Amino acid sequence: MQTQEFGLDAKPLARIGLGCMGMSWLYQESHRDDVESIRVIRSAIDSGVTLFDSANIYGNGHNERILGRAVGRRAGQVLVATKAGLVVDDERRRLLHRDARPTAVQNSVRASLKRLDLPVIDLLYLHRVDPEVPLEETWSAMAELVQDGLVRNLGLSEVTREQAERAHAQHPVAAIQSELSLWTRDPLGLIPDRTHPAAWHRSGDNLLDWCAQAGAVFVPFAPLGRGYLTATLPTTFEDSDFRSGNERFTPVARAANEKLLGTIRTIAKTHASSPAQVALAWVLAQGEHVVPIPGTKQLRYLRENLQAADLVLNEDEMRALDGLPAPSGARY
Ligand SMILES: NC(=O)c1ccc[n+]([C@@H]2O[C@H](COP(=O)([O-])OP(=O)(O)OC[C@H]3O[C@@H](n4cnc5c(N)ncnc54)[C@H](OP(=O)(O)O)[C@@H]3O)[C@@H](O)[C@H]2O)c1
């Protein structure tokens, strides 16, 4: 896979990363298998994937343990990314609260390092800004971790341009991770219009442009629309699956959202590829500094997703995908 220079320590960064969350959290609990997850991560390393995404909260530490075990001595070859700033209150019900106080974040990172069994984290994100703590206080505590050699690069998740600028003025923002896919375009400054179903409404800033100007990487999370854009989801989910309670996945919303899939399927057919690959190719086409992290716990999906790096969409196809209607249902 093609690589590029990344952040402050310039480790090579492949065009597509791996989201590890589903191996421990949110989706199809009954399908989880640690041995298989470790195989998926190791196979991704063999295939040239460099960015591996985790967080302290995914499975309340389980995900970092799996990632650490899988990466092992090959840590030098990859970029291990994890997050701080959220705390699990109830793992089964996935109740969380924000805590980005300086000491809480620094303690969280020390615990992550132990679980990952690594001396240093390549990329540490602030998972969510804590409204109770000035961003500057959190960010300066994170910068101290860089000075102490425990973290290499800092990133933000789901922030505004103004927040990114404030942080960047203090210490470089190496990456921003936010949800971006054919049906979630907030980082492009587009959200579904509440008063006109299926229409997009211009709101907020284009964070991809900001990243390009600031020399930061933009990391789209849920680039496959939490599986929806692959056109392979089952009609029902286990009760513990995040999607069973999410507005975009109700039967009514899914019936309305079906119209997004027609165009994606047609383009996929033209290229003898899959809807998942088309969804990823559209995300990749948003810029060379854009590195999606599709999530999977299955080898066959990993292989399919990585092939999307070679799928080039023509202008007509991009126009058709840009013009897809906004989805029904809120993303959270
Ligand atoms: N910063 C944040 O707040 C935040 C929030 C959410 C996620 N994330 C990160 O972003 C990563 C990716 O997001 P995500 O996992 O939520 O959503 P996603 O990548 O959009 O979709 C994952 C879902 O798609 C399925 N899938 C993957 N490849 C497929 C393929 N080729 N064909 C059919 N189905 C396929 C997966 O199934 P299987 O599980 O069966 O493989 C899973 O159900 C996460 O792993 C996590 O690291 C960050």
Side-chain angles (χ1 to χ4, degrees), residues 18-22 26-28 31 53-54 58 63 83 127-128 157-158 177-178 220-228 230 232-233 243 274 276-277 293-298 300-302 304-305 332:
L18 177 64
C20 300
M21 179 185 75
L26 288 203
Y27 312 132
Q28 286 174 306
H31 291 208
D53 192 74
S54 185
Y58 299 163
N63 201 247
K83 313 185 188 82
H127 210 151
R128 292 290 184 273
S157 179
E158 297 264 298
Q177 175 175 143
S178 291
F221 78 70
L224 299 169
R226 301 185 187 271
Y228 184 78
T230 69
T232 60
L233 285 186
R243 295 165 293 195
S274 67
Q277 291 169 333
I293 44 166
T296 186
K297 44 190 181 298
Q298 302 192 47
R300 63 185 173 134
Y301 289 166
L302 170 74
E304 184 181 324
N305 296 343
Y332 276 112

Side-chain angles (χ1 to χ4, degrees), residues 94-114:
R94 289 193 298 264
L95 298 179
L96 307 170
H97 72 272
R98 298 182 189 204
D99 188 351
R101 288 173 298 165
T103 315
V105 166
Q106 292 188 341
N107 288 340
S108 169
V109 169
R110 289 197 174 89
S112 288
L113 281 165
K114 276 201 190 121

